[in-house]
Amino acid sequence: MLKFLLICTLAVASRAEVGEEEDVLVLKKSNFEEALKAHPNILVEFYAPWCGHCKALAPEFAKAAGLLKAEGSEVRLGKVDATEETELAQEYGVRGYPTIKFFKGGEKESPKEYSAGRQADDIVAWLKKRTGPAVATLAGVTEAESLIADNEVAVIGFFKDADSEGAKAFEKAAETTDDVPFAMTADDAVFAKFEVSKDSVVLFKKFDEGRNTFDGELTKENLLAFVKANQLPLVIEFTEQTAPKIFGGEIKSHILMFLPKTAKDFQDKMDQFKKAAEGFKGRILFIFIDSDVDDNQRILEFFGLKKEECPAIRLITLEDEMTKYRPESDAITAESIISFCELFIEGKLKPHLMSQDIPEDWDKNPVRVLVGKNFEEVVFDSSKNVFVEFYAPWCGHCKQLTPIWEKLAEKYKDSADIIVAKMDSTANEIEAVKVHSFPTLKFFPAGEERKVIDYNGERTLEGFTKFLESGGKEGGAPAEDEDDLDAEDLEDVDDEKDLDSDDDDEHDEL
C-alpha cells in the first residue's frame, strides 16, 4: 500500500504544472501534452517578447481568454514563448510571430491555423464557430438582438421550415465560414421584429447601411458570395487589428488610398473613395491607409511613395504573384477611381514597375548597381555572366551578406565576362524577376536564351566562387528553408513578423 501511494505521489509530482497569466495558459515543452489532456480545445499563440505584433495582440488575447473563462467555456487560450521553447516552435512550423494555432479535441498532430481578426470578439467568435454548431438556433427576439449586439457582423436565416432546401443551403454556407456567426430562427416574433415577411437571409453589421438582405437563389455558393461582399466595410482602414481580415479574406484585389487623417479635405476624399467602392463590392477591397502613421511608412516604401506624395491611389493583386498598378491621374474623385477599377477588371492596365534613376557611378565599384532602367541592358547582355543580389536596405540578412558580396565582386572586378551586381528591390521592379524574399540571388548566364538560375546554396565566398566558375551548375543546391511571399506578407512589411536574424531561416520576407 505504501509503495502504491509513493508511486501515485511521484506520478502527480512528475506532472508539469500549467501556470496562467491573465487567464492565458503559459505553455512549455514540459507541460504542453499535459495541458492538452486537461483542456482538449486550446488556441495557442507562439510569440516573441520583442515582437510588436505580439505586444499589440496580448491585451486582446487575454481579454478573449477572460471572456471564455467567464462564460464557463471549456475552450482555453495558451501562449508559448517561441524564443525560449524553440523545440516546440520548430515542431509546429513556426516561421514568424505571432503564429496562432488551434488544437481541437486534444489532437496535437495537425492543429488548425487561426484565420480571423485580432480583436477579442473576433477570437471568441472564431472559437465558438470551431467548437459549437455551425448555426445557432434563436428562440426569440432577445436572443436575436443579443447576437446582433455582440458581433460586428452576424447572419440570420429566417426559415419557417428548418428542413427546407434554403435552410439546408444556409447550414452548408455556415459550415465553411469561420469568421462570421450564423443563426437561424422560425419564430414569428423575430420575423416581425426585423420586418421579414418570408424565408430570407439577412446580414446585420455595425457599419455602412447596417443590414443587407440576400436576393437570389438560395444556394451555398450564392450565400457565401453574399457574405463575402458585405461582411467588410465599403472602406476599411489598414491597422494592426484589421490586417488579418484584409489579407485573410478571399478578395485578392485591393485598391489603396494613402491619405493623412489630418488633411483638411480628408472627409471629402474619403466620401469620394467610399462612393466609388459601392460598385465593386465582392470584387475589389477598398482600403484606406493613414500616411502619417509611423507604422505605415514601410508600406509607403513598398509602393515607392513618400509622405509628401500623398494623397495617392494604388491597386494591388495578391494572387500567385503580387502585382501593382498606378492610375494615370492623381485625382481622387469617385469618377476617376471607378474608371481606374473598371480598366483593371477589363484587363486593360499594365503593371506599375518602380525604378530609380541610373546612378552616375553605377559601374564604378566592383559591385555594380542596378535599377529598373538599366537592368535589361546589363543583365541580359549576351556576352556577360551576371550574378545579382536582390536586396532590401532594412533586411538584416542582406546586411550580413554585404561584406561577402563585396569580396566576391572584388575577386571578379577585372573579369571580362563576369559581373557581380545588386539591386534594391524595394525601389526597383522588373518583369523578368519576381522577388519573393530577401536576399534573393539569381544568376543570368551569357547567351541569347535569357536564362535565369536561382542560387540557394551556401552564402560563402567559396560557395559563390564554385557556382560562378561552374557557370551556375555547381554549389547552388536548394536551401532547406525559404520563405515565399504570399498575400499575408504585405501585412508584415514592418518586418516584425520575421524571425530573429540569427535563426536558421536565411531570408527576410518582404
Side-chain angles (χ1 to χ4, degrees):
M1 185 67 176
L2 182 62
K3 183 178 179 181
F4 174 75
L5 289 173
L6 180 61
I7 291 172
C8 289
T9 302
L10 290 172
V12 171
S14 67
R15 292 180 183 174
E17 183 181 349
V18 181
E20 291 187 24
E21 291 179 2
E22 297 183 290
D23 299 321
V24 178
L25 302 174
V26 180
L27 304 176
K28 304 175 183 292
K29 175 69 174 178
S30 59
N31 67 12
F32 201 78
E33 290 193 21
E34 192 70 33
L36 285 178
K37 290 177 183 176
H39 311 286
N41 296 319
I42 306 180
L43 183 70
V44 179
E45 176 204 4
F46 294 86
Y47 73 96
W50 45 259
C51 165
H53 293 311
C54 304
K55 292 175 184 177
L57 173 63
E60 293 297 321
F61 205 70
K63 182 180 177 182
L67 289 171
L68 290 167
K69 197 172 183 180
E71 291 178 3
S73 173
E74 294 183 356
V75 181
R76 298 299 304 272
L77 272 63
K79 61 182 180 179
V80 174
D81 182 344
T83 65
E84 292 289 337
E85 302 297 324
T86 54
E87 188 177 340
L88 201 57
Q90 185 175 2
E91 181 179 350
Y92 291 107
V94 176
R95 299 291 296 277
Y97 307 124
T99 291
I100 308 172
K101 294 177 180 284
F102 181 49
F103 295 80
K104 185 176 181 179
E107 174 60 53
K108 71 168 191 171
E109 301 305 325
S110 54
K112 172 73 176 178
E113 292 285 343
Y114 175 76
S115 58
R118 292 180 183 173
Q119 295 290 312
D121 290 343
D122 296 324
I123 296 168
V124 171
W126 189 89
L127 287 169
K128 286 183 176 180
K129 281 296 294 285
R130 283 284 162 191
T131 55
V135 179
T137 301
L138 303 175
V141 172
T142 301
E143 289 185 11
E145 290 179 329
S146 295
L147 177 73
I148 295 168
D150 293 343
N151 294 280
E152 189 79 3
V153 178
V155 182
I156 298 179
F158 295 81
F159 295 102
K160 291 296 184 182
D161 181 4
D163 293 324
S164 66
E165 290 301 315
K168 290 178 180 178
F170 183 78
E171 288 184 356
K172 289 179 180 177
E175 289 169 357
T176 58
T177 306
D178 288 335
D179 52 348
V180 177
F182 279 60
M184 191 184 300
T185 185
D187 189 89
D188 291 336
V190 181
F191 271 69
K193 172 66 180 178
F194 296 103
E195 300 178 344
V196 176
S197 59
K198 60 180 182 179
D199 282 6
S200 185
V201 174
V202 181
L203 183 145
F204 296 89
K205 56 191 181 184
K206 294 179 180 177
F207 48 83
D208 296 340
E209 62 270 52
R211 65 185 275 177
N212 303 100
T213 301
F214 177 80
D215 181 21
E217 183 184 358
L218 282 167
T219 65
K220 172 187 171 182
E221 292 71 26
N222 289 344
L223 286 169
L224 289 174
F226 165 73
V227 173
K228 180 181 74 171
N230 294 290
Q231 71 178 108
L232 293 176
L234 279 173
V235 174
I236 183 168
E237 182 177 357
F238 180 89
T239 66
E240 180 78 36
Q241 290 71 38
T242 62
K245 293 183 180 179
I246 291 171
F247 296 104
E250 294 183 14
I251 303 173
K252 300 303 181 185
S253 298
H254 301 170
I255 186 168
L256 305 97
M257 178 172 69
F258 296 88
L259 174 69
K261 280 187 177 179
T262 55
K264 292 181 180 179
D265 58 349
F266 171 80
Q267 194 55 53
D268 176 63
K269 284 186 166 54
M270 183 62 75
D271 291 341
Q272 294 292 315
F273 198 54
K274 184 175 286 189
K275 183 179 179 182
E278 293 173 359
F280 299 96
K281 287 170 67 173
R283 295 186 292 170
I284 300 176
L285 202 58
F286 278 61
I287 301 166
F288 155 66
I289 297 176
D290 187 345
S291 55
D292 273 349
V293 174
D294 289 341
D295 287 347
N296 292 338
Q297 297 313 300
R298 184 62 57 74
I299 304 175
L300 267 72
E301 179 184 316
F302 176 74
F303 284 93
L305 287 169
K306 298 177 182 178
K307 283 204 293 187
E308 54 269 25
E309 295 175 307
C310 299
I313 296 287
R314 294 292 186 270
L315 195 151
I316 186 169
T317 59
L318 302 173
E319 300 294 348
D320 293 337
E321 295 289 355
M322 192 179 286
T323 308
K324 292 178 276 188
Y325 300 88
R326 175 181 178 176
E328 291 186 5
S329 170
D330 292 331
I332 298 182
T333 65
E335 291 75 17
S336 63
I337 296 169
I338 289 170
S339 175
F340 179 50
C341 290
E342 287 177 342
L343 288 172
F344 165 72
I345 288 174
E346 293 168 4
K348 295 180 180 179
L349 291 180
K350 290 185 177 180
H352 171 60
L353 300 173
M354 297 186 297
S355 177
Q356 296 172 305
D357 290 331
I358 302 174
E360 291 184 6
D361 60 348
W362 73 272
D363 60 349
K364 295 295 186 291
N365 295 317
V367 178
R368 306 297 199 269
V369 178
L370 302 180
V371 296
K373 293 178 180 178
N374 70 348
F375 186 87
E376 286 275 328
E377 179 183 354
V378 176
V379 166
F380 291 113
D381 181 336
S382 61
S383 66
K384 297 290 191 291
N385 295 286
V386 187
F387 201 10
V388 182
E389 175 202 5
F390 298 88
Y391 73 97
W394 45 261
C395 165
H397 301 306
C398 302
K399 292 174 184 176
Q400 291 176 346
L401 178 61
T402 297
I404 302 172
W405 202 247
E406 289 176 347
K407 287 179 182 177
L408 181 70
E410 183 70 27
K411 183 180 180 73
Y412 290 100
K413 68 178 182 179
D414 296 323
S415 172
D417 62 352
I418 292 178
I419 293 176
V420 177
K422 65 179 181 179
M423 189 176 86
D424 179 354
S425 287
T426 67
N428 300 277
E429 298 167 314
I430 45 177
E431 287 191 56
V433 176
K434 297 294 184 182
V435 177
H436 291 180
S437 57
F438 297 131
T440 287
L441 305 176
K442 291 184 181 287
F443 179 59
F444 302 81
E448 302 290 344
E449 298 88 353
R450 294 172 64 94
K451 286 185 179 179
V452 183
I453 299 173
D454 292 331
Y455 181 86
N456 293 311
E458 293 182 357
R459 292 187 188 151
T460 62
L461 182 61
E462 295 75 15
F464 291 144
T465 301
K466 183 178 180 181
F467 180 75
L468 285 175
E469 295 294 340
S470 68
K473 295 177 181 178
E474 294 183 29
E480 289 185 5
D481 292 320
E482 181 167 354
D483 288 340
D484 289 330
L485 187 66
D486 57 29
E488 293 181 358
D489 293 324
L490 186 57
E491 174 191 344
D492 298 291
V493 290
D494 60 2
D495 201 30
E496 289 195 338
K497 182 180 177 185
D498 292 322
L499 298 183
D500 200 10
S501 60
D502 293 330
D503 64 15
D504 293 333
D505 177 14
E506 294 184 329
H507 296 261
D508 274 334
E509 295 178 358
L510 186 51

